[in-house]
mmCIF file of all heavy atoms in Angstrom:
data_model
loop_
_atom_site.group_PDB
_atom_site.id
_atom_site.type_symbol
_atom_site.label_atom_id
_atom_site.label_comp_id
_atom_site.label_asym_id
_atom_site.label_seq_id
_atom_site.Cartn_x
_atom_site.Cartn_y
_atom_site.Cartn_z
ATOM 1 N N ARG A 187 282.952 -125.530 188.076
ATOM 2 C CA ARG A 187 281.968 -124.557 188.547
ATOM 3 C C ARG A 187 280.852 -125.197 189.384
ATOM 4 O O ARG A 187 280.533 -124.707 190.471
ATOM 5 C CB ARG A 187 281.342 -123.810 187.351
ATOM 6 C CG ARG A 187 280.449 -122.667 187.812
ATOM 7 C CD ARG A 187 280.009 -121.781 186.690
ATOM 8 N NE ARG A 187 279.036 -122.430 185.835
ATOM 9 C CZ ARG A 187 278.282 -121.803 184.951
ATOM 10 N NH1 ARG A 187 278.401 -120.493 184.808
ATOM 11 N NH2 ARG A 187 277.434 -122.452 184.215
ATOM 12 N N ILE A 188 280.288 -126.302 188.887
ATOM 13 C CA ILE A 188 279.143 -126.902 189.588
ATOM 14 C C ILE A 188 279.571 -127.434 190.957
ATOM 15 O O ILE A 188 278.856 -127.281 191.947
ATOM 16 C CB ILE A 188 278.534 -128.046 188.746
ATOM 17 C CG1 ILE A 188 278.054 -127.483 187.412
ATOM 18 C CG2 ILE A 188 277.398 -128.736 189.469
ATOM 19 C CD1 ILE A 188 277.842 -128.532 186.344
ATOM 20 N N MET A 189 280.777 -128.001 191.009
ATOM 21 C CA MET A 189 281.253 -128.588 192.277
ATOM 22 C C MET A 189 281.347 -127.525 193.362
ATOM 23 O O MET A 189 281.120 -127.781 194.534
ATOM 24 C CB MET A 189 282.631 -129.246 192.095
ATOM 25 C CG MET A 189 282.617 -130.457 191.210
ATOM 26 S SD MET A 189 282.505 -129.930 189.506
ATOM 27 C CE MET A 189 282.358 -131.442 188.647
ATOM 28 N N LYS A 190 281.683 -126.291 192.967
ATOM 29 C CA LYS A 190 281.890 -125.227 193.969
ATOM 30 C C LYS A 190 280.594 -124.855 194.683
ATOM 31 O O LYS A 190 280.637 -124.247 195.746
ATOM 32 C CB LYS A 190 282.499 -123.991 193.304
ATOM 33 C CG LYS A 190 283.944 -124.190 192.878
ATOM 34 C CD LYS A 190 284.615 -122.893 192.476
ATOM 35 C CE LYS A 190 284.114 -122.355 191.167
ATOM 36 N NZ LYS A 190 284.884 -121.181 190.707
ATOM 37 N N ASP A 191 279.436 -125.232 194.092
ATOM 38 C CA ASP A 191 278.151 -124.907 194.727
ATOM 39 C C ASP A 191 278.039 -125.531 196.113
ATOM 40 O O ASP A 191 277.284 -125.062 196.953
ATOM 41 C CB ASP A 191 276.980 -125.441 193.872
ATOM 42 C CG ASP A 191 276.800 -124.601 192.620
ATOM 43 O OD1 ASP A 191 277.408 -123.513 192.554
ATOM 44 O OD2 ASP A 191 276.063 -125.043 191.722
ATOM 45 N N SER A 192 278.795 -126.611 196.350
ATOM 46 C CA SER A 192 278.643 -127.304 197.641
ATOM 47 C C SER A 192 279.290 -126.529 198.796
ATOM 48 O O SER A 192 279.070 -126.864 199.952
ATOM 49 C CB SER A 192 279.194 -128.725 197.564
ATOM 50 O OG SER A 192 280.576 -128.668 197.364
ATOM 51 N N ASP A 193 280.101 -125.521 198.516
ATOM 52 C CA ASP A 193 280.673 -124.706 199.598
ATOM 53 C C ASP A 193 280.665 -123.236 199.174
ATOM 54 O O ASP A 193 281.534 -122.785 198.429
ATOM 55 C CB ASP A 193 282.112 -125.165 199.906
ATOM 56 C CG ASP A 193 282.729 -124.360 201.045
ATOM 57 O OD1 ASP A 193 282.090 -123.384 201.510
ATOM 58 O OD2 ASP A 193 283.842 -124.707 201.471
ATOM 59 N N PRO A 194 279.676 -122.472 199.670
ATOM 60 C CA PRO A 194 279.547 -121.075 199.247
ATOM 61 C C PRO A 194 280.760 -120.217 199.629
ATOM 62 O O PRO A 194 280.983 -119.154 199.040
ATOM 63 C CB PRO A 194 278.290 -120.578 199.980
ATOM 64 C CG PRO A 194 277.794 -121.703 200.805
ATOM 65 C CD PRO A 194 278.634 -122.918 200.587
ATOM 66 N N ASP A 195 281.566 -120.703 200.594
ATOM 67 C CA ASP A 195 282.753 -119.917 201.008
ATOM 68 C C ASP A 195 284.035 -120.390 200.331
ATOM 69 O O ASP A 195 285.124 -119.908 200.645
ATOM 70 C CB ASP A 195 282.943 -120.018 202.532
ATOM 71 C CG ASP A 195 281.842 -119.271 203.262
ATOM 72 O OD1 ASP A 195 281.359 -118.255 202.720
ATOM 73 O OD2 ASP A 195 281.450 -119.741 204.339
ATOM 74 N N TYR A 196 283.912 -121.368 199.441
ATOM 75 C CA TYR A 196 285.119 -121.966 198.856
ATOM 76 C C TYR A 196 286.033 -120.917 198.206
ATOM 77 O O TYR A 196 287.236 -120.894 198.439
ATOM 78 C CB TYR A 196 284.732 -123.052 197.826
ATOM 79 C CG TYR A 196 285.926 -123.578 197.084
ATOM 80 C CD1 TYR A 196 286.836 -124.424 197.703
ATOM 81 C CD2 TYR A 196 286.177 -123.203 195.758
ATOM 82 C CE1 TYR A 196 287.963 -124.888 197.040
ATOM 83 C CE2 TYR A 196 287.297 -123.666 195.087
ATOM 84 C CZ TYR A 196 288.188 -124.502 195.729
ATOM 85 O OH TYR A 196 289.312 -124.942 195.071
ATOM 86 N N GLU A 197 285.445 -120.036 197.408
ATOM 87 C CA GLU A 197 286.300 -119.078 196.672
ATOM 88 C C GLU A 197 287.024 -118.130 197.646
ATOM 89 O O GLU A 197 288.180 -117.767 197.410
ATOM 90 C CB GLU A 197 285.461 -118.309 195.644
ATOM 91 C CG GLU A 197 284.971 -119.248 194.534
ATOM 92 C CD GLU A 197 284.288 -118.534 193.382
ATOM 93 O OE1 GLU A 197 283.995 -117.332 193.499
ATOM 94 O OE2 GLU A 197 284.044 -119.207 192.359
ATOM 95 N N LYS A 198 286.352 -117.763 198.733
ATOM 96 C CA LYS A 198 287.010 -116.905 199.743
ATOM 97 C C LYS A 198 288.179 -117.657 200.384
ATOM 98 O O LYS A 198 289.236 -117.090 200.649
ATOM 99 C CB LYS A 198 286.015 -116.496 200.830
ATOM 100 C CG LYS A 198 285.067 -115.420 200.386
ATOM 101 C CD LYS A 198 284.285 -114.870 201.587
ATOM 102 C CE LYS A 198 283.030 -114.218 201.076
ATOM 103 N NZ LYS A 198 281.790 -114.859 201.503
ATOM 104 N N LYS A 199 287.979 -118.957 200.611
ATOM 105 C CA LYS A 199 289.055 -119.768 201.215
ATOM 106 C C LYS A 199 290.248 -119.864 200.250
ATOM 107 O O LYS A 199 291.402 -119.838 200.664
ATOM 108 C CB LYS A 199 288.539 -121.182 201.549
ATOM 109 C CG LYS A 199 287.517 -121.197 202.678
ATOM 110 C CD LYS A 199 286.985 -122.613 202.887
ATOM 111 C CE LYS A 199 285.790 -122.604 203.818
ATOM 112 N NZ LYS A 199 285.087 -123.898 203.879
ATOM 113 N N VAL A 200 289.938 -119.972 198.961
ATOM 114 C CA VAL A 200 291.006 -120.021 197.955
ATOM 115 C C VAL A 200 291.800 -118.717 197.997
ATOM 116 O O VAL A 200 293.038 -118.721 198.042
ATOM 117 C CB VAL A 200 290.425 -120.234 196.535
ATOM 118 C CG1 VAL A 200 291.470 -119.951 195.461
ATOM 119 C CG2 VAL A 200 289.884 -121.648 196.397
ATOM 120 N N LEU A 201 291.080 -117.613 198.028
ATOM 121 C CA LEU A 201 291.764 -116.316 198.024
ATOM 122 C C LEU A 201 292.645 -116.161 199.264
ATOM 123 O O LEU A 201 293.754 -115.611 199.188
ATOM 124 C CB LEU A 201 290.731 -115.180 197.954
ATOM 125 C CG LEU A 201 291.334 -113.842 197.553
ATOM 126 C CD1 LEU A 201 291.863 -113.871 196.133
ATOM 127 C CD2 LEU A 201 290.310 -112.722 197.692
ATOM 128 N N ALA A 202 292.167 -116.680 200.406
ATOM 129 C CA ALA A 202 292.955 -116.588 201.643
ATOM 130 C C ALA A 202 294.263 -117.373 201.509
ATOM 131 O O ALA A 202 295.279 -117.004 202.098
ATOM 132 C CB ALA A 202 292.136 -117.111 202.812
ATOM 133 N N LYS A 203 294.247 -118.443 200.728
ATOM 134 C CA LYS A 203 295.446 -119.283 200.571
ATOM 135 C C LYS A 203 296.402 -118.765 199.494
ATOM 136 O O LYS A 203 297.549 -119.205 199.402
ATOM 137 C CB LYS A 203 295.036 -120.708 200.180
ATOM 138 C CG LYS A 203 294.370 -121.484 201.284
ATOM 139 C CD LYS A 203 295.395 -122.067 202.234
ATOM 140 C CE LYS A 203 294.724 -122.701 203.442
ATOM 141 N NZ LYS A 203 295.693 -123.229 204.392
ATOM 142 N N LEU A 204 295.895 -117.869 198.645
ATOM 143 C CA LEU A 204 296.742 -117.354 197.558
ATOM 144 C C LEU A 204 297.697 -116.312 198.140
ATOM 145 O O LEU A 204 297.273 -115.386 198.840
ATOM 146 C CB LEU A 204 295.842 -116.722 196.478
ATOM 147 C CG LEU A 204 296.514 -116.229 195.206
ATOM 148 C CD1 LEU A 204 297.138 -117.380 194.402
ATOM 149 C CD2 LEU A 204 295.488 -115.495 194.314
ATOM 150 N N ASN A 205 298.978 -116.475 197.880
ATOM 151 C CA ASN A 205 299.964 -115.512 198.386
ATOM 152 C C ASN A 205 299.751 -114.132 197.762
ATOM 153 O O ASN A 205 299.218 -114.032 196.642
ATOM 154 C CB ASN A 205 301.382 -116.000 198.064
ATOM 155 C CG ASN A 205 301.806 -117.136 198.983
ATOM 156 O OD1 ASN A 205 301.398 -117.185 200.145
ATOM 157 N ND2 ASN A 205 302.611 -118.056 198.473
ATOM 158 N N ILE A 206 300.200 -113.098 198.468
ATOM 159 C CA ILE A 206 300.160 -111.738 197.915
ATOM 160 C C ILE A 206 300.971 -111.735 196.618
ATOM 161 O O ILE A 206 302.038 -112.356 196.540
ATOM 162 C CB ILE A 206 300.790 -110.728 198.917
ATOM 163 C CG1 ILE A 206 299.983 -110.708 200.220
ATOM 164 C CG2 ILE A 206 300.907 -109.328 198.313
ATOM 165 C CD1 ILE A 206 298.624 -110.061 200.128
ATOM 166 N N ASN A 207 300.439 -111.069 195.622
ATOM 167 C CA ASN A 207 300.995 -111.022 194.256
ATOM 168 C C ASN A 207 300.835 -112.351 193.512
ATOM 169 O O ASN A 207 301.380 -112.515 192.420
ATOM 170 C CB ASN A 207 302.468 -110.587 194.224
ATOM 171 C CG ASN A 207 302.601 -109.145 194.641
ATOM 172 O OD1 ASN A 207 301.723 -108.331 194.340
ATOM 173 N ND2 ASN A 207 303.666 -108.824 195.355
ATOM 174 N N GLY A 208 300.112 -113.281 194.139
ATOM 175 C CA GLY A 208 299.824 -114.546 193.466
ATOM 176 C C GLY A 208 298.770 -114.340 192.378
ATOM 177 O O GLY A 208 298.035 -113.351 192.381
ATOM 178 N N ILE A 209 298.719 -115.293 191.451
ATOM 179 C CA ILE A 209 297.853 -115.166 190.266
ATOM 180 C C ILE A 209 296.747 -116.213 190.319
ATOM 181 O O ILE A 209 297.032 -117.402 190.529
ATOM 182 C CB ILE A 209 298.655 -115.430 188.962
ATOM 183 C CG1 ILE A 209 300.006 -114.719 188.972
ATOM 184 C CG2 ILE A 209 297.834 -115.095 187.724
ATOM 185 C CD1 ILE A 209 299.967 -113.252 188.833
#
Side-chain angles (χ1 to χ4, degrees):
R187 187 170 72 165
I188 300 162
M189 293 76 185
K190 289 191 288 187
D191 287 348
S192 66
D193 181 354
D195 290 328
Y196 173 73
E197 293 188 349
K198 284 191 201 116
K199 292 176 191 170
V200 166
L201 196 66
K203 289 279 173 182
L204 185 65
N205 285 328
I206 298 289
N207 292 325
I209 316 289

